[in-house]
Amino acid sequence: MATMKDIAKLAGVSTSTVSHVINKTRFVSEEISLRVNNAAKELHYSGPSVLARSFKVNRTKTLGMLVTTSTNPFFGEVVKGVERSCYQNGYSLILCNTEGDHQRMRESINTLLQKRVDGLILMCSSLEGERIDVFEHYPDIPVVVMDWGPMLFTSDKIQDNSLRGGYMATQYLIESGHTDIGCITGPLIRHQAQMRYEGYKRAMNEAHLRFNSHWIIESDFECEGGYDAFMKMHHNGTLPSAIFVSNDMMAMGIINAANECGIQIPNDLSIIGYDDIHIAKYMSPALTTIHQPKYRLGQAAVETLLKRLDTQMSDTQVIQLEPTLVTRNSVKILPYNN
């Protein structure tokens, strides 16, 4: 196996010059750099191992990410943003699935820390409010959390503006002529679900519209939950003319349930979702929804970690990305009654 000494001999330079060219630690003229690189190529020099370099610079060029399993492709789209951003910055990503289990989450964090990852991204919103004591023993490892509520440990935070998103969704239904508007929420113990519900209530109150308790149902952010919530609402009696559904997966379940009941969307019932997952535009009808910048969420998480690694920031950051409305075919425009 070729060494820097072999390259130096072939290129006619000192070993230290070879080191500066390969590690980019000092300016070397273009002519000498070319000789060194050509010699390295000729000798099939592969360079020091990643592990050996990491001991020198105290970096492994690896990030860890914890995510909770869900059938919701939202998570996969965020992971794609994380993965692509890692690749573009020369980092590797180790992905761990917690499956919503507290013990598994703690064991995964311990495993990642033992592998000497440079930073951690947590996307386990079902575990919000958890105290994770292990972080106290690794104060130099930066942590970014995503889609999470109040935290009991120090970290930066990336989130979408769910309050504004819920408000925008409901306001669009009101602007479309609807006054009887229901809401199917996610689990209200979760911060993002609560904020989307608060946005719904704010828009309803501003428009002086009445709330019907039969039209407000808490669910679980999954297809089955949306299906069951609609069936419960349907059995309660008269349906509203429109429903704000707190994510696209539940909206998919509602569309399926409505079809079984002979209710046409949007002619009989208008639906607006949240997230704008990739398949939303392929639903039947194509789903009007609130676009959450999933790829950008993942990208921002990596950028924030790398910035903290490269600078001595003391204050934690909260980076909030803004949602946008995507109109398709699941909301009927009603004539206004003057």
Side-chain angles (χ1 to χ4, degrees), residues 169-192:
T170 311
Q171 189 178 49
Y172 177 70
L173 294 176
I174 294 167
E175 289 172 351
S176 298
H178 296 275
T179 54
D180 295 335
I181 303 172
C183 180
I184 293 180
T185 77
L188 293 176
I189 58 168
R190 288 170 59 173
H191 179 73
Q192 303 295 58

Short mmCIF file of all heavy atoms in Angstrom, two decimals, residues 169-192:
data_model
loop_
_atom_site.label_atom_id
_atom_site.label_comp_id
_atom_site.label_asym_id
_atom_site.label_seq_id
_atom_site.Cartn_x
_atom_site.Cartn_y
_atom_site.Cartn_z
N ALA A 169 -55.71 26.75 6.44
CA ALA A 169 -56.61 25.72 5.91
C ALA A 169 -58.06 26.08 6.17
O ALA A 169 -58.91 26.02 5.27
CB ALA A 169 -56.28 24.37 6.56
N THR A 170 -58.35 26.48 7.41
CA THR A 170 -59.73 26.80 7.78
C THR A 170 -60.19 28.08 7.10
O THR A 170 -61.34 28.18 6.63
CB THR A 170 -59.83 26.95 9.31
OG1 THR A 170 -59.22 25.81 9.93
CG2 THR A 170 -61.28 27.05 9.76
N GLN A 171 -59.30 29.04 7.01
CA GLN A 171 -59.65 30.30 6.34
C GLN A 171 -59.98 30.07 4.87
O GLN A 171 -60.89 30.69 4.32
CB GLN A 171 -58.48 31.28 6.47
CG GLN A 171 -58.81 32.70 6.02
CD GLN A 171 -57.64 33.64 6.21
OE1 GLN A 171 -56.52 33.34 5.81
NE2 GLN A 171 -57.89 34.79 6.83
N TYR A 172 -59.25 29.15 4.23
CA TYR A 172 -59.54 28.85 2.83
C TYR A 172 -60.95 28.25 2.68
O TYR A 172 -61.67 28.59 1.74
CB TYR A 172 -58.51 27.88 2.25
CG TYR A 172 -58.81 27.49 0.81
CD1 TYR A 172 -58.68 28.41 -0.22
CD2 TYR A 172 -59.29 26.22 0.51
CE1 TYR A 172 -58.98 28.07 -1.53
CE2 TYR A 172 -59.60 25.87 -0.80
CZ TYR A 172 -59.45 26.79 -1.81
OH TYR A 172 -59.77 26.46 -3.11
N LEU A 173 -61.34 27.38 3.61
CA LEU A 173 -62.69 26.81 3.57
C LEU A 173 -63.74 27.91 3.75
O LEU A 173 -64.78 27.92 3.06
CB LEU A 173 -62.86 25.75 4.66
CG LEU A 173 -62.01 24.48 4.51
CD1 LEU A 173 -62.20 23.56 5.72
CD2 LEU A 173 -62.37 23.72 3.22
N ILE A 174 -63.46 28.85 4.65
CA ILE A 174 -64.40 29.96 4.89
C ILE A 174 -64.49 30.84 3.65
O ILE A 174 -65.59 31.23 3.22
CB ILE A 174 -63.94 30.78 6.12
CG1 ILE A 174 -64.05 29.93 7.40
CG2 ILE A 174 -64.78 32.05 6.26
CD1 ILE A 174 -63.35 30.52 8.61
N GLU A 175 -63.34 31.13 3.06
CA GLU A 175 -63.32 31.95 1.84
C GLU A 175 -64.00 31.25 0.67
O GLU A 175 -64.48 31.91 -0.26
CB GLU A 175 -61.87 32.28 1.45
CG GLU A 175 -61.20 33.27 2.40
CD GLU A 175 -59.72 33.43 2.11
OE1 GLU A 175 -59.18 32.65 1.29
OE2 GLU A 175 -59.10 34.34 2.71
N SER A 176 -64.08 29.93 0.75
CA SER A 176 -64.76 29.15 -0.30
C SER A 176 -66.26 29.06 -0.06
O SER A 176 -66.97 28.34 -0.76
CB SER A 176 -64.15 27.74 -0.39
OG SER A 176 -62.78 27.80 -0.73
N GLY A 177 -66.75 29.76 0.96
CA GLY A 177 -68.19 29.85 1.20
C GLY A 177 -68.71 28.92 2.28
O GLY A 177 -69.93 28.88 2.52
N HIS A 178 -67.85 28.15 2.94
CA HIS A 178 -68.30 27.19 3.95
C HIS A 178 -68.44 27.86 5.31
O HIS A 178 -67.59 28.65 5.73
CB HIS A 178 -67.32 26.01 4.04
CG HIS A 178 -67.25 25.22 2.78
ND1 HIS A 178 -68.12 24.20 2.49
CD2 HIS A 178 -66.41 25.32 1.71
CE1 HIS A 178 -67.82 23.69 1.29
NE2 HIS A 178 -66.79 24.36 0.80
N THR A 179 -69.52 27.52 6.00
CA THR A 179 -69.75 28.03 7.36
C THR A 179 -69.88 26.89 8.37
O THR A 179 -69.63 27.08 9.55
CB THR A 179 -71.02 28.91 7.42
OG1 THR A 179 -72.13 28.16 6.89
CG2 THR A 179 -70.83 30.18 6.60
N ASP A 180 -70.30 25.71 7.90
CA ASP A 180 -70.38 24.52 8.75
C ASP A 180 -69.10 23.72 8.54
O ASP A 180 -68.98 22.94 7.58
CB ASP A 180 -71.60 23.67 8.40
CG ASP A 180 -72.91 24.40 8.67
OD1 ASP A 180 -72.91 25.30 9.53
OD2 ASP A 180 -73.92 24.07 8.02
N ILE A 181 -68.13 23.93 9.42
CA ILE A 181 -66.79 23.36 9.21
C ILE A 181 -66.38 22.52 10.41
O ILE A 181 -66.37 22.99 11.56
CB ILE A 181 -65.75 24.48 8.98
CG1 ILE A 181 -66.16 25.35 7.78
CG2 ILE A 181 -64.36 23.89 8.78
CD1 ILE A 181 -65.31 26.59 7.60
N GLY A 182 -66.03 21.26 10.15
CA GLY A 182 -65.55 20.37 11.20
C GLY A 182 -64.04 20.29 11.19
O GLY A 182 -63.37 20.83 10.32
N CYS A 183 -63.50 19.58 12.19
CA CYS A 183 -62.05 19.42 12.28
C CYS A 183 -61.73 18.04 12.85
O CYS A 183 -62.28 17.65 13.89
CB CYS A 183 -61.44 20.50 13.18
SG CYS A 183 -59.64 20.39 13.36
N ILE A 184 -60.87 17.31 12.16
CA ILE A 184 -60.36 16.05 12.69
C ILE A 184 -58.90 16.29 13.03
O ILE A 184 -58.07 16.57 12.15
CB ILE A 184 -60.54 14.90 11.70
CG1 ILE A 184 -62.05 14.63 11.53
CG2 ILE A 184 -59.82 13.64 12.19
CD1 ILE A 184 -62.40 13.52 10.59
N THR A 185 -58.60 16.25 14.33
CA THR A 185 -57.27 16.60 14.82
C THR A 185 -56.39 15.36 14.95
O THR A 185 -56.87 14.23 14.94
CB THR A 185 -57.34 17.28 16.20
OG1 THR A 185 -57.57 16.27 17.20
CG2 THR A 185 -58.46 18.31 16.25
N GLY A 186 -55.11 15.61 15.10
CA GLY A 186 -54.19 14.55 15.51
C GLY A 186 -54.27 14.41 17.02
O GLY A 186 -55.10 15.06 17.67
N PRO A 187 -53.42 13.59 17.63
CA PRO A 187 -53.42 13.43 19.10
C PRO A 187 -53.06 14.76 19.76
O PRO A 187 -51.97 15.29 19.55
CB PRO A 187 -52.33 12.38 19.35
CG PRO A 187 -52.06 11.74 18.03
CD PRO A 187 -52.38 12.76 16.99
N LEU A 188 -53.97 15.31 20.55
CA LEU A 188 -53.79 16.67 21.05
C LEU A 188 -52.73 16.79 22.14
O LEU A 188 -52.40 17.90 22.58
CB LEU A 188 -55.13 17.23 21.54
CG LEU A 188 -56.15 17.46 20.41
CD1 LEU A 188 -57.48 17.92 20.96
CD2 LEU A 188 -55.62 18.45 19.38
N ILE A 189 -52.17 15.66 22.58
CA ILE A 189 -51.02 15.73 23.49
C ILE A 189 -49.76 16.11 22.71
O ILE A 189 -48.75 16.47 23.30
CB ILE A 189 -50.77 14.39 24.23
CG1 ILE A 189 -50.55 13.25 23.23
CG2 ILE A 189 -51.90 14.08 25.18
CD1 ILE A 189 -50.02 11.98 23.87
N ARG A 190 -49.83 16.03 21.38
CA ARG A 190 -48.68 16.38 20.55
C ARG A 190 -48.77 17.83 20.12
O ARG A 190 -49.82 18.32 19.71
CB ARG A 190 -48.60 15.44 19.35
CG ARG A 190 -48.14 14.05 19.79
CD ARG A 190 -48.25 13.01 18.71
NE ARG A 190 -47.47 13.34 17.52
CZ ARG A 190 -47.32 12.50 16.51
NH1 ARG A 190 -47.87 11.30 16.54
NH2 ARG A 190 -46.62 12.86 15.46
N HIS A 191 -47.66 18.51 20.21
CA HIS A 191 -47.60 19.95 20.00
C HIS A 191 -48.13 20.36 18.64
O HIS A 191 -48.95 21.29 18.54
CB HIS A 191 -46.14 20.41 20.17
CG HIS A 191 -45.94 21.87 19.95
ND1 HIS A 191 -46.36 22.81 20.86
CD2 HIS A 191 -45.37 22.56 18.92
CE1 HIS A 191 -46.06 24.02 20.40
NE2 HIS A 191 -45.46 23.90 19.23
N GLN A 192 -47.70 19.68 17.59
CA GLN A 192 -48.10 20.09 16.24
C GLN A 192 -49.60 19.91 16.03
O GLN A 192 -50.25 20.73 15.39
CB GLN A 192 -47.30 19.32 15.18
CG GLN A 192 -45.78 19.46 15.30
CD GLN A 192 -45.28 20.87 15.06
OE1 GLN A 192 -45.69 21.79 15.77
NE2 GLN A 192 -44.40 21.04 14.12
#
